[in-house]
Amino acid sequence: MKTDCTDDRKIKGTASPFFDVWSKRKETIKKSASRNIRFIQAALSVVTSTRISPYSSKFSKKLYTQHQLLALVLFKDYRNQHYREFIEDIGDMEKVQEILDLPIVPHFTTLQKFLCRIKSLYLRLTFKKTVKLFYSADESIPVTAIDSSGFTSGYCSHYFSERTGKIRKHFIKTSISVDTDLQVITGFVTSKSRVHDTRHAEKLLRQCHNTRKSDCYVMDKGYDSEAIHRLIRENLHANSVIPIRSWNNEIIGGTYRQEMALQFNDIIYPRRQLVENKFSVLKRKFNGDLKARKFLIQMKEIANKMIVCNLHRFLQFLIVKVFYRAIFFKNGPGRIRTGDLRRVRATS
């Protein structure tokens, strides 16, 4: 029986829709795998540079180092997964196991107990290391924006809350400071209960200024206070842009508040919106819900989210480097030249 060769050629020449979908899926899997590898390499490099002791005790089993476990915890938050699901995926990632030099894949409770055991100081040191990735030694930030938001700590289902009529509104209030040029988180403060913004402001201003000095701080009306202006102007030697609360028939008190009423900077103040944009990215990509029930563990979860968010931003600049062929590194592969980052961000 003869077959039509022309029909065979036509069938071979036409591209199947299934083939197109499968090829696109393979490209997506490849990109996702390379993204995971880049993150785990960056996380391990930052954690190792903090000089945390490999083991928490001399009586430790010494099966895993603190560097390996902390990198895995950060990787879990980067993938936005639960402990069980994350460990199942790690079992299939041979490249990740090779990079971390894992003898065997740890049990999911190993990561959970490690997060409860590790000191918050170590997470603060890791966070500072992520900030140093973006700046040179004596470089200052032009404009820093400060704002606050909340991370929900409820772990009951929304359906159950609606049926009982008791909708939980408890959240962990978190204030962050953001470099408006590079979109890098430079400091954060958390509290268990609802407090006024000004109570967070003083601690956050000193913290972020010690980490990286800024020339100007931008905040919304919630931070309107003569004491905040005085702290920024006289102690931190920077400029402050905070709009005053407009109440009827009010006598504006304070030298710096009167200056804001007469000479308000309408050019710099719109940059404050970028800190709200950072909160949006933080909650959309890495989830705004906290799984822990104890406040100390919830604080560690928030610190992990800040570290992961900065590492994610760092990897974005590395990807831009590939496409724009810019020169990012100075004095080794672990440092980025900020001027190049600002130029790339302006062109992208």
Side-chain angles (χ1 to χ4, degrees):
M1 183 175 179
K2 290 185 179 181
T3 57
D4 193 353
C5 297
T6 58
D7 293 341
D8 290 340
R9 293 191 188 97
K10 289 180 181 179
I11 293 174
K12 291 180 181 178
T14 55
S16 173
F18 175 76
F19 179 77
D20 292 340
V21 173
W22 176 246
S23 61
K24 292 179 180 179
R25 184 174 180 181
K26 286 176 67 177
E27 292 177 1
T28 304
I29 294 174
K30 185 181 295 184
K31 291 179 181 178
S32 177
S34 61
R35 190 185 306 117
N36 291 334
I37 291 172
R38 285 196 300 268
F39 180 85
I40 202 68
Q41 289 174 340
L44 184 61
S45 176
V46 170
V47 171
T48 307
S49 65
T50 56
R51 298 181 180 179
I52 300 174
S53 58
Y55 304 102
S56 58
S57 173
K58 64 179 180 180
F59 302 106
S60 174
K61 293 181 179 180
K62 299 183 180 180
L63 186 59
Y64 308 104
T65 64
Q66 293 195 106
H67 303 157
Q68 293 172 330
L69 295 177
L70 183 53
L72 284 174
V73 170
L74 295 176
F75 190 35
K76 177 191 74 70
D77 290 339
Y78 177 73
R79 292 174 61 85
N80 194 12
Q81 290 179 311
H82 296 282
Y83 286 104
R84 294 175 185 266
E85 180 185 3
F86 172 71
I87 289 300
E88 290 177 359
D89 290 347
I90 288 295
D92 299 330
M93 299 180 182
E94 297 181 357
K95 185 65 176 178
V96 172
Q97 298 179 34
E98 180 182 348
I99 294 173
L100 293 177
D101 194 19
L102 294 176
I104 56 174
V105 178
H107 195 260
F108 72 91
T109 57
T110 303
L111 299 182
Q112 187 268 335
K113 292 178 180 178
F114 168 76
L115 184 61
C116 296
R117 185 176 64 248
I118 188 173
K119 296 180 180 179
S120 300
L121 175 62
Y122 293 159
L123 299 179
R124 284 284 181 179
L125 292 175
T126 307
F127 171 75
K128 289 183 179 180
K129 288 292 183 180
T130 61
V131 177
K132 290 182 179 180
L133 292 173
F134 298 88
Y135 306 99
S136 59
D138 299 328
E139 189 173 5
S140 61
I141 300 173
V143 180
T144 297
I146 292 178
D147 201 1
S148 62
S149 183
F151 289 90
T152 57
S153 60
Y155 33 81
C156 64
S157 65
H158 185 70
Y159 173 76
F160 177 78
S161 299
E162 287 187 345
R163 287 201 59 182
T164 57
K166 298 179 181 179
I167 300 178
R168 302 191 178 187
K169 298 181 180 180
H170 181 66
F171 59 88
I172 306 299
K173 183 166 183 176
T174 305
S175 300
I176 64 173
S177 57
V178 175
D179 179 359
T180 57
D181 281 350
L182 302 183
Q183 286 286 289
V184 178
I185 301 175
T186 59
F188 65 95
V189 174
T190 58
S191 62
K192 185 176 182 179
S193 58
R194 301 182 183 182
V195 297
H196 198 270
D197 291 340
T198 54
R199 295 182 62 181
H200 276 190
E202 181 178 355
K203 184 177 179 180
L204 181 58
L205 284 168
R206 295 184 184 278
Q207 178 193 132
C208 66
H209 201 78
N210 290 334
T211 303
R212 184 62 51 181
K213 293 182 180 181
S214 180
D215 299 330
C216 180
Y217 291 95
V218 182
M219 290 168 264
D220 60 11
K221 293 181 180 179
Y223 297 91
D224 179 26
S225 170
E226 184 68 16
I228 299 297
H229 282 289
R230 194 179 301 111
L231 172 64
I232 297 174
R233 301 291 185 92
E234 299 176 3
N235 296 348
L236 304 183
H237 304 289
N239 190 21
S240 59
V241 179
I242 307 173
I244 62 172
R245 297 187 183 93
S246 57
W247 292 333
N248 295 329
N249 300 325
E250 180 194 14
I251 299 175
I252 300 175
T255 305
Y256 298 115
R257 294 185 72 243
Q258 292 177 359
E259 179 183 341
M260 289 292 105
L262 298 176
Q263 300 176 352
F264 187 75
N265 195 328
D266 295 322
I267 299 176
I268 296 180
Y269 182 72
R271 301 177 71 86
R272 190 201 63 82
Q273 300 175 2
L274 296 174
V275 68
E276 297 180 357
N277 180 36
K278 197 62 180 180
F279 266 122
S280 176
V281 172
L282 186 63
K283 293 183 178 181
R284 282 187 292 106
K285 285 187 172 294
F286 310 116
N287 201 350
D289 298 330
L290 304 176
K291 305 304 179 184
R293 301 190 179 189
K294 294 183 179 180
F295 176 63
L296 292 178
I297 313 302
Q298 291 173 347
M299 290 180 61
K300 294 179 182 179
E301 285 190 9
I302 293 176
N304 288 341
K305 291 180 185 295
M306 302 300 169
I307 295 171
V308 169
C309 192
N310 277 354
L311 287 175
H312 172 69
R313 188 61 177 166
F314 177 75
L315 294 178
Q316 284 182 327
F317 284 124
L318 294 185
I319 294 174
V320 171
K321 171 202 170 188
V322 175
F323 288 101
Y324 286 87
R325 299 181 182 275
I327 302 174
F328 282 84
F329 294 99
K330 181 180 181 182
N331 298 329
R335 189 64 55 85
I336 294 182
R337 213 179 333 181
T338 314
D340 296 330
L341 292 182
R342 301 185 196 280
R343 286 195 294 272
V344 170
R345 185 179 181 276
T347 56
S348 60

